[in-house]
Amino acid sequence: LTYLIMGASQSSAPASSASLNQAPPTSSTPAPLPSECPVKLPASAKKSSPLRKLCPHIGDDDRGSGDGGEGSSDPNSGQSSASSPSSQSVYNVYSQKIDPTNQMPVHANNLPSPSQSAPLSQQRVKSTIPKGGTDSGTWTYPSPQMFWNSINRKGKVGDTEEQDIEAVVAIHNAMNERTWKKVVQWERVISGKEDTAPKLLKFIGRPTDLSPKARLRTWLGYPLPFDRHDWTITRSDGSTARYVIDYYYDESKASDSAATLGTDPSNFNSILVDVRPAIDDPMDLMYRVIDMPLEVATGGTDFEYLPMMPTAGLKSQAPEARKTWESILKSKTMSDSGGDLPSKPTFTPDEINKIIKEKGLVQDSCSSMRKALDSCPTEMDCAKASLALTMCVAEVACPLQRNALAAALREDGAEEEGKVDVALKNLHECVGIWDEKVKKAEEQQI
């Protein structure tokens, strides 16, 4: 669980306003698809869009027109920051508009992932953390759907199921609120002002970079932290400062299930947070060794340090934390090499029967589409026949992804956001995953 709570926060970006209150499509009744293409592509994205081949009447439309130490940078992204205007729009290969400040899509992926089998909420929650670069805005947390997409992309799903994500997101959000509270406590001591108003400008997850202080703690018997963040804040005078945050898990304090704890940060005592300014200049060192210790000793602040010496319970958890750390490193290595984590599913007899039954339904209902694809006379006809066959298979094998595509095709502006292309890509991948499941189920059946 701790592997997931902060890990997915390595990559999320603001979602479109249209997606904030959009309920996920149900998988029980397939949504009808438009008979013809209802959208236009931005001119800069036309060449890369799969719909270009299927919708030849699409016209031009310009609407879319440092290191591991604590001395060098989002709580929801590999790196995210407050957006700034750009004079020229940039798109990725899925026709998604890119924010040049963080190279992330302007509109985050809030669509069902290819391997997902149950719908997840797309509702996002506003944090209390002020957002740098804005007058009064705050950061918005990822929806359960976005969180699931993030851990799925990084190979961190493991045995986690869709129904677990709501509780995991609640913990993730609460821990970021607790972290920000501690940052503000530091800033009040540093500025000498109770009404200081820092803002979070950007943040980056660095789970594989062990900070010097975390390394020292492990020598003293602490388990390895399960995550590290670097947060960059802006102060009222326009200056910036970086904070280093290490997250530890104390299983001995995990007496309640996440689902019953709500979102109050004080409820999550099993997650320990060590927040301090990075030592980027001599003044930062003075804040850490003189100013804050003096304020704590004299009662000038209610800030509480994480004790340097671990409890007996924490010491006993060090071996398990080491395994989690190695798993994180393995995941990063596989991700950097472009490979996927090994997966060899073994199906139960009931699962095999279900998959074989689905195959039979597909063969019965999609035979005419298969024939049309085998005899298509032109490239355009073959493209349309291929999409028709994919949609037919998806009605049985991937209803969630099919409905997401149907909804995206009908949503105003979805094509400019790249949502249609992503939904189409997810649908194709889901059908491919199902096809592999059929093959493996048949192999097990022999």
Side-chain angles (χ1 to χ4, degrees):
L1 179 62
T2 55
Y3 183 39
L4 301 176
I5 291 169
M6 307 305 291
S9 67
Q10 321 293 330
S11 76
S12 78
S16 65
S17 58
S19 71
L20 298 184
N21 298 314
Q22 178 184 347
T26 60
S27 58
S28 55
T29 305
L33 288 170
S35 58
E36 58 184 26
C37 301
V39 294
K40 291 185 177 181
L41 289 172
S44 58
K46 287 166 62 179
K47 291 183 179 179
S48 63
S49 174
L51 288 184
R52 176 66 173 165
K53 294 182 178 180
L54 305 179
C55 305
H57 63 278
I58 290 177
D60 292 339
D61 191 344
D62 294 326
R63 288 176 295 172
S65 35
D67 54 38
E70 298 181 28
S72 117
S73 308
D74 302 53
N76 302 334
S77 199
Q79 180 171 346
S80 299
S81 62
S83 299
S84 63
S86 175
S87 59
Q88 184 176 4
S89 296
V90 178
Y91 295 82
N92 66 12
V93 294
Y94 303 120
S95 306
Q96 293 175 295
K97 191 174 181 179
I98 297 299
D99 179 356
T101 66
N102 57 21
Q103 299 304 307
M104 298 290 289
V106 171
H107 305 285
N109 180 11
N110 216 0
L111 296 168
S113 65
S115 59
Q116 188 175 328
S117 58
L120 289 170
S121 171
Q122 297 177 349
Q123 185 69 40
R124 303 184 71 186
V125 175
K126 282 279 189 182
S127 76
T128 65
I129 304 174
K131 187 173 185 179
T134 66
D135 293 331
S136 58
T138 61
W139 286 90
T140 303
Y141 289 122
S143 68
Q145 180 63 70
M146 292 165 63
F147 203 99
W148 174 265
N149 290 345
S150 180
I151 64 173
N152 187 72
R153 185 179 66 252
K154 296 169 188 169
K156 293 184 176 182
V157 173
D159 58 357
T160 306
E161 297 182 357
E162 285 94 331
Q163 59 263 32
D164 301 326
I165 294 301
E166 293 276 357
V168 173
V169 169
I171 298 174
H172 166 272
N173 297 353
M175 291 317 305
N176 282 326
E177 296 293 330
R178 181 194 288 184
T179 300
W180 182 248
K181 179 181 177 181
K182 287 184 174 291
V183 169
V184 172
Q185 289 174 327
W186 270 102
E187 286 299 299
R188 286 173 178 169
V189 170
I190 292 171
S191 67
K193 299 178 181 179
E194 189 66 22
D195 61 348
T196 186
K199 295 182 178 182
L200 178 60
L201 179 64
K202 61 182 180 180
F203 49 87
I204 182 171
R206 303 175 66 180
T208 59
D209 294 334
L210 198 61
S211 68
K213 190 175 181 181
R215 193 179 303 277
L216 175 60
R217 286 187 185 277
T218 61
W219 293 341
L220 296 174
Y222 260 86
L224 285 161
F226 66 83
D227 202 5
R228 169 190 168 175
H229 283 184
D230 284 14
W231 290 13
T232 300
I233 66 161
T234 58
R235 294 170 173 152
S236 55
D237 63 1
S239 63
T240 62
R242 184 170 62 94
Y243 278 80
V244 177
I245 305 105
D246 290 318
Y247 295 92
Y248 300 86
Y249 181 64
D250 186 354
E251 189 174 1
S252 65
K253 294 183 178 180
S255 57
D256 296 307
S257 66
T260 63
L261 292 176
T263 57
D264 184 351
S266 63
N267 289 338
F268 299 99
N269 295 322
S270 59
I271 298 179
L272 312 179
V273 185
D274 185 8
V275 181
R276 68 276 186 194
I279 304 176
D280 290 334
D281 63 52
M283 288 301 296
D284 295 323
L285 180 60
M286 187 184 75
Y287 299 147
R288 285 176 58 165
V289 302
I290 298 177
D291 290 15
M292 180 59 86
L294 183 61
E295 289 295 309
V296 171
T298 59
T301 177
D302 56 355
F303 180 86
E304 293 183 5
Y305 282 106
L306 181 65
M308 282 301 296
M309 296 304 298
T311 63
L314 276 171
K315 284 185 177 181
S316 68
Q317 296 164 42
E320 185 63 31
R322 172 64 63 178
K323 292 180 181 179
T324 300
W325 176 265
E326 291 172 352
S327 179
I328 293 172
L329 290 177
K330 180 179 179 182
S331 177
K332 183 178 187 300
T333 300
M334 294 297 294
S335 176
D336 291 346
S337 65
D340 296 323
L341 293 177
S343 176
K344 296 181 180 180
T346 300
F347 301 114
T348 65
D350 288 343
E351 289 172 334
I352 291 175
N353 290 337
K354 178 177 179 294
I355 294 170
I356 298 302
K357 183 178 179 181
E358 288 177 351
K359 178 186 176 182
L361 290 173
V362 166
Q363 289 177 331
D364 291 341
S365 58
C366 303
S367 58
S368 60
M369 287 79 169
R370 177 75 256 182
K371 292 177 181 177
L373 182 60
D374 290 339
S375 59
C376 52
T378 67
E379 182 180 354
M380 178 61 64
D381 289 332
C382 289
K384 291 181 177 179
S386 176
L387 180 60
L389 178 59
T390 299
M391 296 303 298
C392 182
V393 174
E395 191 167 334
V396 174
C398 305
L400 192 65
Q401 290 73 13
R402 182 190 187 280
N403 288 351
L405 175 59
L409 285 169
R410 295 185 176 279
E411 182 181 322
D412 291 339
E415 184 64 34
E416 290 180 347
E417 296 173 14
K419 186 178 290 186
V420 172
D421 285 349
V422 173
L424 185 60
K425 171 181 173 291
N426 288 349
L427 180 69
H428 278 290
E429 288 188 11
C430 179
V431 170
I433 291 171
W434 177 82
D435 190 50
E436 288 299 315
K437 286 170 62 177
V438 170
K439 293 177 182 177
K440 292 179 180 180
E442 289 177 333
E443 288 174 359
Q444 281 186 237
Q445 200 178 31
I446 297 175

